Amino acid sequence: MREKDIRYLEKFYQKNKKGRLEALIQSGFLDEEKAAAFNDDLALAPEIADSMIENQLATYQLPFGLALNFLVDDVAYVVPMAVEEPSVLAAASSAAKLFAAHGGFQTAVTPRTMIGQVILTEIPDCQKAIAVLEDEEIEIIQTANQAHPSIVKRGGGADAIGVRHIEADVASGSPEFLILHLYIETLEAMGANIINTMMEAIIPLVEELSGGKALMGILSNYATECLATATCRIPADALAKGNWSGEEVRDRIILASQAATVDPYRAVTHNKGIMNGIDAVVLATGNDWRAIEAGAHAYAARSGQYRSLSKWTKGDNGDLVGELTLPLPIGTVGGSISFHPGAKMAHELMGHPDAETLESIIVSAGLAQNFSAMRALVTEGIQRGHMGLHSRSLAISAGAIGEEIAIVSEQLKQVKNMNLATAQEILEKHRNSRTL
Ligand code: MEV
């Protein structure tokens, strides 16, 4: 059996930036030369920002940090996250550490096949069109691949088609559609540009073959052929919290999972917690988080009802067992990944995982995040943990600067109703006491 590569980073949060970088270098997650990029705060150069979007005025910053102690398929990772919400990194790190002591996360990914669509209307004879399109599969694939030969040279490209007939819908007034799917291996790329180029290139051929009119050619962000799954398990004893026994916590987490399976109102919040972890890594690694969000929620509704993306059950031996599956069409090349200093650093900190491994890390981060939220929710509630960090945000919002932030935040934690007005009062009192 492969030896597990557990590398805990202790008391990381208590160190300053220099100490944190030193700890990363000592534990082998970062080399000294690469760490120098942090001197510029991973800032995006103005000329790059200006060429990335139209009408650019400034760069909009977010904190970039690490969720620690992840063991994914027996390999240790620090997981970079870009996020504005307090508690996300702490929650992911504490769950990862707990699971690392019990084997960490195991993952499985499907082959990374992406889907492009040509939507056809006004088809004279749908059954005939389906037969012709299916007969001409090779020509369609060749036409697509000729439009993007470089992906074919690298071993990828289009390799299959599928045709879906959607009947007219009287209630919505929608006519019938024929939808051609092209299945494309985009290798290390998420592949939006590759797919869209191919889809537009096959439109004339597909129109000719079907006799219909193409409405559009575009990728589908519902990447059902690019799924990632993480599983984890932990003995009930390890789950005890406060006055709650391990068995009680396990059973309450399982109940919470069941509630999120049957109630869409709870499922959305439950999945939002999962996406707290997923989006933060997707964003940090320079990937398209809107695509991942859209696909994840469609996948959550695949049964016809919106449900939880994760499932927590009791194993045969009484362990708590967790599982999360979602579409994760991320990439390790393309887009801003090669030039955005934050994205480059994110890949560096994880040792430049390939796209399948990055999917594994991201889905594990989602499951860790979900576990921490559920464990807190079914025991002491989330506010206690949240308020610790929230007090710092309130102190900053109240105008605290420098060492005032810690002073106001500490005093805020002692009051019953933590809010902005109280933070302002505390700050004012503190400043007055210093001018006396
Ligand atoms: C907060 O950002 C996320 C949670 O609401 C998730 C959940 O309820 O499971 C705590």
Side-chain angles (χ1 to χ4, degrees):
M1 200 177 109
R2 185 152 122 205
E3 206 177 313
K4 293 189 196 336
D5 169 34
I6 300 181
R7 278 181 269 167
Y8 295 124
L9 283 161
E10 300 290 352
K11 308 238 181 305
F12 195 74
Y13 68 99
Q14 289 176 352
K15 300 182 198 294
N16 59 18
K17 182 172 156 184
K18 188 166 169 274
R20 289 176 191 167
L21 290 174
E22 276 165 11
L24 289 169
I25 293 166
Q26 269 162 26
S27 52
F29 287 113
L30 188 63
D31 75 42
E32 214 159 337
E33 204 182 301
K34 295 276 166 41
F38 280 101
N39 296 339
D40 296 336
D41 212 21
L42 305 177
L44 192 58
E47 62 278 11
I48 297 183
D50 191 35
S51 57
M52 283 175 75
I53 61 164
E54 308 75 28
N55 307 340
Q56 188 259 349
L57 290 172
T59 52
Y60 179 96
Q61 298 188 332
L62 279 178
F64 173 101
L66 293 174
L68 308 173
N69 309 318
F70 270 82
L71 186 66
V72 179
D73 298 321
D74 297 344
V75 179
Y77 293 98
V78 288
V79 180
M81 293 187 167
V83 65
E84 89 297 346
E85 185 174 329
S87 300
V88 168
L89 287 95
S93 304
S94 77
K97 188 170 181 185
L98 196 59
F99 282 103
H102 300 280
F105 299 93
Q106 275 71 47
T107 72
V109 295
T110 61
R112 290 171 43 76
T113 305
M114 307 299 166
I115 301 169
Q117 300 189 297
V118 174
I119 300 191
L120 293 161
T121 60
E122 298 176 43
I123 314 106
D125 179 343
C126 272
Q127 291 320 312
K128 191 170 153 216
I130 292 171
V132 177
L133 288 167
E134 285 175 351
D135 278 352
E136 298 304 325
E137 178 172 23
I138 292 175
E139 196 186 344
I140 296 169
I141 290 170
Q142 278 170 353
T143 307
N145 283 336
Q146 276 156 15
H148 212 297
S150 62
I151 189 73
V152 182
K153 253 188 232 149
R154 293 202 297 275
D159 54 21
I161 67 158
V163 191
R164 294 167 51 232
H165 179 212
I166 301 198
E167 309 234 353
D169 178 40
V170 180
S172 67
S174 152
E176 72 176 347
F177 290 105
L178 256 199
I179 304 190
L180 177 104
H181 280 193
L182 187 66
Y183 296 97
I184 305 162
E185 315 301 322
T186 57
L187 308 177
E188 285 299 298
M190 181 262 198
N193 282 325
I194 300 171
I195 303 166
N196 293 341
T197 302
M198 287 185 175
M199 299 325 292
E200 289 185 5
I202 64 173
I203 281 178
L205 174 64
V206 169
E207 281 185 327
E208 189 192 320
L209 294 171
S210 66
K213 283 213 169 75
L215 188 62
M216 68 180 81
I218 184 77
L219 89 169
S220 170
N221 287 124
Y222 191 24
T224 51
E225 307 297 315
C226 182
L227 299 176
T229 298
T231 55
C232 59
R233 62 186 306 143
I234 189 164
D237 288 355
L239 296 170
K241 195 162 173 107
N243 293 330
W244 304 90
S245 75
E247 279 80 11
E248 280 171 322
V249 176
R250 176 199 62 202
D251 293 345
R252 288 172 67 78
I253 288 177
I254 292 169
L255 273 174
S257 168
Q258 289 162 342
T261 304
V262 295
D263 174 21
Y265 282 85
R266 173 57 205 152
V268 170
T269 321
H270 177 101
N271 290 342
K272 188 274 183 184
I274 293 172
M275 300 314 285
N276 273 348
I278 293 197
D279 286 346
V281 194
V282 170
L283 180 55
T285 54
N287 275 289
D288 181 347
W289 78 97
R290 288 88 58 210
I292 300 299
E293 276 282 331
H297 297 295
Y299 193 69
R302 68 194 180 285
S303 67
Q305 183 187 313
Y306 188 93
R307 297 181 193 279
S308 159
L309 284 164
S310 67
K311 191 170 181 187
W312 294 87
T313 52
K314 185 166 144 185
D316 291 345
N317 62 354
D319 283 1
L320 176 70
V321 179
E323 183 172 333
L324 169 65
T325 300
L326 77 162
L328 268 181
I330 49 74
T332 60
V333 296
S336 63
I337 297 171
S338 58
F339 59 79
H340 189 288
K344 277 166 58 178
M345 181 54 72
H347 289 265
E348 178 68 30
L349 283 159
M350 290 183 287
H352 294 281
D354 63 16
E356 286 191 355
T357 309
L358 183 55
E359 284 182 44
S360 296
I361 297 168
I362 296 174
V363 69
S364 300
L367 191 55
Q369 202 74 49
N370 180 224
F371 169 82
S372 270
M374 294 227 290
R375 187 180 187 214
L377 284 166
V378 302
T379 56
E380 63 188 21
I382 58 154
Q383 284 309 80
R384 191 201 263 215
H386 265 210
M387 284 317 199
L389 279 162
H390 186 49
S391 65
R392 292 183 69 86
S393 300
L394 281 176
I396 295 167
S397 304
I401 46 171
E403 61 190 22
E404 287 174 347
I405 298 170
I407 294 165
V408 174
S409 149
E410 274 317 305
Q411 289 188 35
L412 257 183
K413 281 190 218 163
Q414 315 306 321
V415 302
K416 204 161 164 229
N417 294 318
M418 198 191 279
N419 55 39
L420 183 60
T422 317
Q424 283 162 338
E425 257 170 50
I426 294 173
L427 179 63
E428 203 178 313
K429 264 194 206 149
H430 169 71
R431 285 183 177 167
N432 287 341
S433 71
R434 293 182 57 120
T435 50
L436 285 177

